[in-house]
Structure formats: C-alpha cells, structure tokens
Amino acid sequence: MYLLGYIPAQNRVYLADKEVRIYGYSLSLNLIKYQLAILRGNTDTAAEILPSIPKEQRNKVARFLEARGKEHGSDYDGHTIYIAISYYLNLQELALQVTTDPDHKFDLSLQLDDLDAALEITRTRPDAEAETKWKAVGDRALAMWRFDLARECFERAGDLSALMLLLLAIGDRAGLAKLAGQAEEKGQNNLAFTSRLQLGDTEACVNLLVKTERAPEAALFARTYAPSLVPKAVVAWSAELTSKDCKKFATTAMSPTENLENVWGVGDWFLVFVVVFFVAFFMFLA
C-alpha cells in the first residue's frame, strides 16, 4: 500500500495498492490533535478541540480517556501515587462527560462511585436488561454503606440471597419474613428455610420440609428444635414411605421400638453382625 495523501475537509486518508486501486479511510485530524493534547497533559487545549470532534467519534474519545487514565496510573511509583489517582479520576470524569453510550456511562459512574448517575441510567433501562445493573449498583452501594439504596437495588434485581444477608445484618425481621415468602413462591426453598430458621420459626421450617417432600429431614429437625411437632413430621414421613410402597419402613417410622423386628429379619441381623465382626477384625490387624 502507498500513501497518496490526506484531505482535511473530508477527514479521510487515501492509499493505493500495486494495481492502482484506491482505498479511503476515515481519519479525523482533530481527534488526533485531541489525543496528542491528552498525552501531553494539556487538558485545556484538549477541551478547546473537543467541540470540533464529530459526535459519532465521542465514544472513541471516551474509551481513549479511560484507557489512558488506567495506563497513566500504572506508571507511577509509591511516592507519587496520589498524583496518579488524581490524574486517573480526572480522565475518568472527563470520559463520563464525553461518552454518549449509556452502558459505558454506567460503568464509568460505578468506577467513580457516582451512584446517583448510575441509578438514573438503570431506571431508564427495560426490566429485562436492568437486572445486572441493579445488582452492580447494589453491590457498590453496599460497599459505600448506603444500605437503603442497596436494599432497593437487590429488591429490583430479585437477588434474594444478597437481600437476605443485608436484612440479617440490619436485623429487619419483618423484611426477612417477607423475603421467606417470596423465596418460597419462587421455589428457592433453601433460602426460605434459612430465613425462617434465622427468625426462629421452627413450625414454618417443619411445614416447609414436609411440603417439599423432605419428611425425614422434617422429623429429625423437629426432634432437635421442636419436639411438639415430631408426631406431625413422623406422620408425613410414614405417608411418604407408604406412597413409595415401603409399608414396613412406614410402620417402623410410626412406632420404631415395636416394629423394628418386622423390618429386619434374623438373616439380616446375622449379615450385619458378620460385616461388623470382619470390619473390627481388620481394624485390629491394621
């Protein structure tokens, strides 16, 4: 390729190949001047050049400013780190003012901890696209101790796990109870169980385990935390075993001390004895 020339009025550079075919490429001279001014640290001159740059190239300028800020910040040593941070923030703020891309503007707002600007952008997005943005703003708001904003963001994003941790941290029992109901409606039973356990609502925990066909866990849980609910859990457990054609085990679950021999015959007990004997024997040899 051979360079033919540059036409400033068209902002295009022209080249030709060996077969004399001409190619034209867009090249904004003002954009190059702007980037050169930024590289030299002359922001005043860059600000004078910016209005002459076409709007369709503003996003390219913003990306350049963001990248330059990161590169420039990494060039400093520990003695001048504050200068590096200041320069980085200045370029990030300038990129935020220049860019016209909402997604880029959202990312820059989070980097600058401008949560109000990020929140304004998120609220203008469709619900299907805004979920990840709500989560991002919520995480950043939590890091900045803005609990009310974090709660709103997690609720809008449907991030029940993060919301549960936040409610536990601030001790909101009413919010935690509401969260447990929402989690159960969405089928997030583990989250619903954990929330109700934190509230000390053992009866709701047993009911949830029975409802989700986890009657054995319900019986063991009730035996430990709510003895008065053991009969209810055992009845559910027995009914579950009966539905699976395990009537002997169902009877044993209802009355284990009286019906244990119906489940285990003499041959079964002998087999268990032999296995235990050999295990103990080999452990002794080892």
Side-chain angles (χ1 to χ4, degrees), residues 131 135 139 150-168 175-195:
E131 181 177 346
K135 289 182 180 180
D139 292 338
R151 180 172 182 173
E152 177 189 354
C153 293
F154 292 145
E155 288 176 350
R156 295 288 295 270
D159 191 351
L160 299 184
S161 298
L163 183 59
M164 183 191 72
L165 295 177
L166 176 60
L167 294 175
L168 285 173
L176 203 58
K178 180 180 178 182
L179 171 68
Q182 293 175 346
E184 188 172 351
E185 290 176 0
K186 292 184 177 182
Q188 300 182 18
N189 297 317
N190 290 336
L191 190 61
F193 179 86
T194 303
S195 300

Side-chain angles (χ1 to χ4, degrees), residues 105-148:
K105 186 173 292 188
F106 175 83
D107 294 337
L108 290 171
S109 299
L110 286 185
Q111 293 176 27
L112 294 169
D113 291 334
D114 189 355
L115 298 185
D116 294 331
L119 194 62
E120 182 180 354
I121 296 171
T122 303
R123 283 173 173 163
T124 61
R125 309 296 289 179
D127 293 339
E129 301 177 8
E131 181 177 346
T132 56
K133 286 183 170 54
W134 281 116
K135 289 182 180 180
V137 176
D139 292 338
R140 195 59 199 155
L142 197 60
M144 297 179 64
W145 302 90
R146 296 182 61 177
F147 293 148
D148 292 338

Side-chain angles (χ1 to χ4, degrees), residues 47-151:
E48 295 176 359
I49 299 173
L50 182 61
S52 62
I53 298 177
K55 291 184 178 180
E56 59 269 15
Q57 293 184 344
R58 295 293 177 87
N59 292 331
K60 184 183 294 185
V61 172
R63 297 288 182 184
F64 165 77
L65 291 170
E66 181 184 10
R68 177 56 186 165
K70 293 179 179 179
E71 293 174 2
H72 191 74
S74 63
D75 292 340
Y76 283 90
D77 55 22
H79 298 288
T80 54
I81 188 63
Y82 295 107
I83 299 176
I85 294 175
S86 177
Y87 187 81
Y88 167 76
L89 292 177
N90 288 338
L91 290 183
Q92 298 297 94
E93 292 174 355
L94 186 57
L96 180 61
Q97 298 173 8
V98 171
T99 185
T100 59
D101 182 8
D103 292 331
H104 190 205
K105 186 173 292 188
F106 175 83
D107 294 337
L108 290 171
S109 299
L110 286 185
Q111 293 176 27
L112 294 169
D113 291 334
D114 189 355
L115 298 185
D116 294 331
L119 194 62
E120 182 180 354
I121 296 171
T122 303
R123 283 173 173 163
T124 61
R125 309 296 289 179
D127 293 339
E129 301 177 8
E131 181 177 346
T132 56
K133 286 183 170 54
W134 281 116
K135 289 182 180 180
V137 176
D139 292 338
R140 195 59 199 155
L142 197 60
M144 297 179 64
W145 302 90
R146 296 182 61 177
F147 293 148
D148 292 338
L149 178 58
R151 180 172 182 173

Side-chain angles (χ1 to χ4, degrees), residues 254-266:
M254 291 294 295
S255 182
T257 57
E258 299 177 3
N259 300 285
L260 190 60
E261 65 276 5
N262 294 330
V263 180
W264 295 92
V266 177

Side-chain angles (χ1 to χ4, degrees), residues 186-211:
K186 292 184 177 182
Q188 300 182 18
N189 297 317
N190 290 336
L191 190 61
F193 179 86
T194 303
S195 300
R196 291 192 168 117
L197 182 62
Q198 293 295 328
L199 290 170
D201 192 352
T202 54
E203 183 176 1
C205 291
V206 172
N207 292 336
L208 180 61
L209 290 172
V210 171
K211 179 182 177 181

